[in-house]
Amino acid sequence: MASSESRGADALRIVGTPQTKIDAVSKVTGRTLFADDLKLPRMLFAKILRSPHPHARLTRIDVSKALEAPGVKAIITGADLPIPFGILPVSQDEHVLAPDQVRFVGDPVAAVAALTEDQALVATKLIEVDYELLDTIKSINDGLTKTTPLIHDYGDKDNIHKLINLEFGDVEEGFEEADHVREDVFFFEGNTHLPIEQHASLADWGADGKLTLWSSTQTPHYLHRAASKVLELSPAHLRVIACPNGGGFGGKSDPFSHEIAVCKLSMLTGRPVKISLTREEVFYCHRGRHPVLMSFKTGVDKNGRIKGMHLRTALDGGGYGSYGVASTYYTGALQTVTYEMERYKFQGARVFTNKVPCGPKRGHGTVQPRFGQEVQLDKIAVDLKLDPAEMRLQNLVKPDSTTANWLYVSTIGLGQCIEKVVDGSDWKTRYGKLPYGKGLGIACSSYLSGAGLPIYWNKMPHSGVQLKCDRGGGVTVFCGSTDIGQGSDSVLAYIVAEVLGLELVDIRVVTADTDLTPVDLGSYSSRVTLHTGNAAIEASEKIRDMIAQAVGDKLEVPAERIRLADRRAFDVEDPEVGVSFAEAIQITESSVGTVGSLGSYTPPRSPGRYRGAGVGPSAAYSYSAAIAEVDVDPETGFVSVPKIWIGHDIGRSLNPIAVMGQVEGGVYMGLGETLMEEMAYRENRNLMHRIPSMLDYKSPTTHEMSDVVTYLIEDPDPNGPFGAKEAGQGPLLPIMPAVANAVYDAVGVRVDEIPITPEKVLEAIRKKEQGKEGRYGPKEFPDVPWPEPAQVLPPWEGGDGRETDPPARKVK
């Protein structure tokens, strides 16, 4: 650390009353000061110096010139924050500032705090850094084959971060029993979240020795944990406040370097320090969709029933771990909860490369394999001359069942979703019969309503809610959840108002403040409505029961006859007998004391007990079905999507308008990923990001957005609050494969790669015209040094959810 304290009072942190501050500064500076001479602490602004190289050792950092620049108050480097951090306990591989090695272009090296943002930026350019360049790992194939240099030294093998090999039943036996077996390879290019709001953080080290951090984060609880660790600060002395996010989509789920850097700078200077990342820096933060290469081998009977599926995935993880271990498991976790399959094998590999780190983006880890699975199912339907919609309907997972990989499915409204979009699009009379260049395609999907386990495994609740009732009839809800635009604050108000018979205006919601609110694990995995909603119901019902008992005693009516509605507590058998809600609170407070309650929620335990079973379980799964209509110009390969019909199994809509907004937002994001979005790099130019700006990174405008017909299917789930399930992520998943399948229906070619750009479509059309296979996409899956498989028998083969030992194999 270096600071400019020697340059005068402007760099000092003096605590106490105004007069003691004046006296202290006078003593230090050797001159008499008056009140007007001493200004209150001014906000400082931070900027980060980032690596221009994808892979290098740091051999020298000299900050002396930068420290003398105008306005500079402090500079920190990797030596000042040596403790590593990361979102997962198994991947604590990041530092706030690189201590000895940089792993991608944009990796943070030093941070400057100055009086203005411009002064901080100028100072970063005065920092002298010497780099010893290292060979770069540029691709999935490099990560699998290059043993040196190592990006990290803790992976499963060389530059392979994670290797997974799971087998649920004898999949080869399933292929032997099948009437038809297909093998296909797919590729899904990485893309980023593109929130309108950039990352920003503000830290303030108080005179009481406590630190407050405001940040645009989705996970204040995990940021609080990481920051207190790195700063070596008691968690009780750190307060994290998550500001309402202007979009997150998973991109603000990690703890980030800039968030902790401003904390350290504030602690050193005694001043508030703020940082706002540029759009280019947001691209460097990334943590977006992994590029994934996939191989599907699926065996079916003549009706399309899946006898066995073998899925292999290879993920390009970028320079750090992030959520990568979980991401890898997710690429194989949810294939079984949509369609029944008798046997299933999953092999996944994640490699480190010298690119920006990948992580969770809307639909975390499940979007890429859903594309591959749904396109392959379409191919199978064509091979067997089956209607793709009807084939899916005939093979759905049944409600109240356990899958081959031991995931419990409570309710499934996917059949109704399919029927709605089929009827709405007039599928049965139009599919396969439209003029050349026009087509329809169908795809389905499923997603979690919250992960079944916390990131740090423990027995504590996943979400807590605290209620405070005041004598005027108002209720304040305290919860650690973060509103990132999905409306979670409103959901808390809806639920409490519903249980207590109040209007929304009577509810005040306080969220995402680690000092004031109970812990909620964060806004990710579509968990908030189900997890915080159930906690809110529990807390509200406790208040309701307290009021019923106290008011019942007052009115001499049995407590079970007291109801809360229309801001009243009354006798359900004689509604005229009752009191206002405010009076009810006063009566209850007179009886039991201050009226408040706590509620919490922990998801039910999953039946899986094997290593890796912690990724995939959920209290409830949502389901979606989509049909896309496309126009394909065979001369240019340009694809437009004029209309999409989508059905979503929401369980129960707590606010149908908000749910439809989530569904249609998912369609919009899915279209962008389908047609144009990609994180592209210049492999021959220092592995630089090719398009780190909103000007060059293409996403849909209103001109590219489809007309959307949305059907909300209500099949209340017993595990959801009032039966509700998620809507924030699942509706995105079927869009990519639905469009890909529609392109085939339109022009008879397959694009087995996302995004589906005009040049890819055109190349496939040209190949078909030349008598070759009309396809664009990867041709093979690389060799991977898979470990021995963990073998787990499915429920119907007598399994108990645990690995078999020794491996169970039938003797042929």
Side-chain angles (χ1 to χ4, degrees):
M1 182 276 298
S3 72
S4 54
E5 288 184 297
S6 61
R7 293 166 52 206
D10 213 25
L12 294 175
R13 184 176 70 85
I14 306 297
V15 300
T17 66
Q19 187 57 52
T20 60
K21 289 182 180 182
I22 292 172
D23 293 343
V25 175
S26 297
K27 184 176 180 180
V28 172
T29 61
R31 65 187 178 92
T32 301
L33 293 179
F34 300 95
D36 290 343
D37 295 317
L38 188 67
K39 296 179 180 179
L40 293 175
R42 293 171 56 190
M43 175 87 75
L44 299 179
F45 297 87
K47 278 293 184 180
I48 293 175
L49 174 67
R50 298 178 181 275
S51 169
H53 305 293
H55 202 192
R57 290 191 184 93
L58 301 176
T59 59
R60 185 181 72 94
I61 301 180
D62 185 348
V63 302
S64 57
K65 292 180 182 178
L67 192 59
E68 294 302 316
V72 172
K73 299 303 169 188
I75 300 174
I76 55 175
T77 64
D80 298 303
L81 293 163
I83 298 174
F85 70 97
I87 185 62
L88 299 185
V90 296
S91 300
Q92 300 283 299
D93 60 0
E94 297 186 59
H95 288 84
V96 176
L97 302 165
D100 52 17
Q101 184 176 336
V102 291
R103 295 173 170 88
F104 65 93
V105 173
D107 212 353
V109 174
V112 178
L115 293 176
T116 70
E117 193 173 45
D118 286 345
Q119 289 174 331
L121 181 60
V122 168
T124 63
K125 300 180 186 301
L126 296 176
I127 298 173
E128 297 177 1
V129 185
D130 290 341
Y131 297 93
E132 178 189 334
L133 301 185
L134 301 172
D135 288 342
T136 56
I137 308 299
K138 300 179 179 180
S139 63
I140 291 172
N141 191 60
D142 279 358
L144 290 172
T145 58
K146 289 188 176 181
T147 59
T148 59
L150 292 180
I151 296 177
H152 293 284
D153 60 6
Y154 72 92
D156 282 357
K157 181 178 174 59
D158 300 326
N159 282 307
I160 303 175
H161 179 199
K162 186 63 181 175
L163 288 167
I164 300 166
N165 195 351
L166 298 170
E167 188 165 8
F168 305 93
D170 190 337
V171 72
E172 293 299 328
E173 186 175 88
F175 294 148
E176 291 177 6
E177 294 176 359
D179 297 316
H180 181 65
V181 178
R182 270 202 75 100
E183 292 188 61
D184 293 284
V185 184
F186 303 92
F187 180 68
F188 199 115
E189 182 59 271
N191 50 64
T192 200
H193 314 84
L194 213 67
I196 295 299
E197 179 201 43
Q198 295 143 227
H199 296 252
S201 300
L202 168 63
D204 186 16
W205 177 248
D208 56 359
K210 294 182 179 179
L211 180 69
T212 302
L213 171 63
W214 292 264
S215 193
S216 54
T217 177
Q218 296 178 231
T219 53
H221 171 68
Y222 290 121
L223 173 56
H224 181 266
R225 184 182 187 121
S228 63
K229 173 193 172 186
V230 174
L231 298 169
E232 298 183 276
L233 186 66
S234 167
H237 297 164
L238 172 61
R239 179 184 186 184
V240 175
I241 301 172
C243 304
N245 286 195
F249 314 115
K252 298 173 183 175
S253 297
D254 284 72
F256 284 99
S257 294
H258 65 273
E259 295 171 309
I260 305 175
V262 291
C263 291
K264 184 66 173 178
L265 290 167
S266 182
M267 293 170 72
L268 292 172
T269 62
R271 296 183 174 198
V273 180
K274 178 181 179 179
I275 189 168
S276 297
L277 300 191
T278 65
R279 179 59 60 178
E280 183 174 350
E281 288 180 300
V282 174
F283 276 87
Y284 296 147
C285 284
H286 190 44
R287 315 304 162 109
R289 189 87 69 214
H290 283 75
V292 180
L293 185 63
M294 299 161 279
S295 167
F296 279 84
K297 182 178 180 180
T298 304
V300 299
D301 66 14
K302 61 184 180 180
N303 297 313
R305 181 179 179 81
I306 300 172
K307 309 296 289 184
M309 177 182 287
H310 180 190
L311 167 60
R312 294 176 291 167
T313 64
L315 292 73
D316 182 338
Y320 290 98
S322 183
Y323 284 83
V325 171
S327 307
T328 309
Y329 276 107
Y330 271 127
T331 60
L334 300 189
Q335 308 315 115
T336 60
V337 299
T338 319
Y339 312 108
E340 290 185 328
M341 59 182 70
E342 297 178 14
R343 302 167 184 89
Y344 177 56
K345 183 173 183 176
F346 167 59
Q347 295 173 307
R350 183 184 193 261
V351 301
F352 290 120
T353 62
N354 293 119
K355 301 175 185 175
V356 294
C358 298
K361 184 186 174 186
R362 201 172 192 173
H364 183 196
T366 68
V367 174
Q368 303 94 320
R370 179 57 57 182
F371 167 72
Q373 183 176 10
E374 291 294 320
V375 172
Q376 188 184 60
L377 287 176
D378 203 68
K379 294 181 181 184
I380 289 172
V382 171
D383 293 345
L384 299 179
K385 296 180 173 54
L386 298 174
D387 181 304
E390 189 62 31
M391 187 181 82
R392 286 169 168 83
L393 274 172
Q394 297 303 314
N395 292 291
L396 300 180
V397 165
K398 294 179 174 57
D400 192 24
S401 65
T402 302
T403 67
N405 59 337
W406 292 88
L407 300 178
Y408 175 71
V409 176
S410 51
T411 58
I412 174 171
L414 182 54
Q416 295 165 272
C417 292
I418 294 173
E419 291 167 353
K420 279 289 186 182
V421 297
V422 164
D423 290 345
S425 64
D426 200 14
W427 169 272
K428 292 182 179 178
T429 60
R430 299 175 69 218
Y431 170 69
K433 301 169 185 175
L434 295 174
Y436 183 73
K438 298 183 180 293
L440 295 176
I442 188 170
C444 302
S445 67
S446 59
Y447 197 64
L448 315 162
S449 295
L453 288 171
I455 290 174
Y456 288 82
W457 289 13
N458 58 66
K459 295 182 179 180
M460 291 182 283
H462 293 211
S463 187
V465 167
Q466 183 176 4
L467 300 184
K468 179 190 74 67
C469 300
D470 65 60
R471 297 174 186 178
V475 177
T476 303
V477 186
F478 297 89
C479 181
S481 60
T482 306
D483 199 315
I484 59 173
Q486 84 283 37
S488 60
D489 285 4
S490 299
V491 166
L492 287 168
Y494 302 155
I495 288 173
V496 174
E498 178 71 20
V499 175
L500 298 183
L502 299 173
E503 298 296 323
L504 291 180
V505 72
D506 301 322
I507 310 297
R508 185 182 301 275
V509 179
V510 178
T511 54
D513 184 327
T514 60
D515 263 16
L516 300 182
T517 60
V519 167
D520 177 78
L521 297 183
S523 292
Y524 63 92
S525 295
S526 279
R527 56 176 299 283
V528 178
T529 292
L530 194 139
H531 288 211
T532 68
N534 279 323
I537 286 176
E538 182 178 278
S540 301
E541 289 179 343
K542 289 178 181 179
I543 297 290
R544 180 197 64 191
D545 294 346
M546 291 167 61
I547 292 173
Q549 187 62 56
V551 172
D553 291 345
K554 181 74 173 180
L555 300 179
E556 299 182 345
V557 172
E560 58 269 19
R561 282 170 45 187
I562 298 297
R563 295 290 185 272
L564 303 182
D566 298 325
R567 294 173 168 164
R568 297 181 67 241
F570 56 88
D571 180 358
V572 72
E573 294 185 5
D574 186 0
E576 296 301 317
V577 177
V579 297
S580 70
F581 186 81
E583 292 175 296
I585 292 297
Q586 296 168 23
I587 291 168
T588 305
E589 189 170 341
S590 299
S591 174
V592 302
T594 300
V595 182
S597 67
L598 297 171
S600 59
Y601 178 72
T602 302
R605 188 178 181 186
S606 165
R609 298 291 182 271
Y610 57 89
R611 183 177 180 84
V615 177
S618 181
Y621 297 95
S622 73
Y623 293 89
S624 302
I627 288 177
E629 182 173 347
V630 302
D631 289 335
V632 181
D633 185 338
E635 297 301 318
T636 65
F638 187 83
V639 178
S640 61
V641 187
K643 195 165 187 177
I644 285 179
W645 295 262
I646 184 165
H648 182 67
D649 168 20
I650 183 61
R652 175 170 288 165
S653 298
L654 301 185
N655 180 334
I657 299 300
V659 172
M660 292 179 73
Q662 287 289 295
V663 172
E664 293 172 11
V667 171
Y668 167 81
M669 186 170 280
L671 278 174
E673 296 192 35
T674 304
L675 299 176
M676 61 191 74
E677 295 188 37
E678 57 181 334
M679 288 285 284
Y681 296 84
R682 301 179 186 274
E683 292 196 7
N684 61 343
R685 294 188 183 178
N686 208 31
L687 211 59
M688 292 283 291
H689 196 298
R690 197 170 71 197
I691 44 176
S693 75
M694 291 185 74
L695 177 65
D696 299 308
Y697 182 93
K698 302 303 181 185
S699 64
T701 68
T702 53
H703 295 290
E704 288 82 35
M705 180 59 180
S706 310
D707 288 337
V708 181
V709 179
T710 302
Y711 306 98
L712 300 183
I713 305 303
E714 294 198 313
D715 181 14
D717 193 288
N719 291 324
F722 302 112
K725 299 197 283 191
E726 77 86 33
Q729 302 192 57
L732 176 147
L733 276 75
I735 304 304
M736 289 71 86
V739 172
N741 293 335
V743 168
Y744 176 78
D745 186 46
V747 291
V749 302
R750 295 285 182 183
V751 179
D752 291 341
E753 184 173 306
I754 293 293
I756 302 172
T757 57
E759 59 268 22
K760 296 174 185 178
V761 176
L762 194 59
E763 182 173 328
I765 291 173
R766 296 291 178 262
K767 286 181 179 178
K768 185 179 180 183
E769 291 173 347
Q770 296 166 7
K772 302 176 183 177
E773 181 185 15
R775 176 185 179 272
Y776 184 98
K779 294 180 173 59
E780 58 185 11
F781 191 88
D783 291 332
V784 177
W786 304 114
E788 286 297 311
Q791 296 179 337
V792 183
L793 291 175
W796 44 87
E797 292 186 15
D800 60 2
R802 294 177 170 83
E803 297 176 32
T804 58
D805 188 24
R809 288 281 186 182
K810 292 185 178 181
V811 178
K812 300 279 180 82

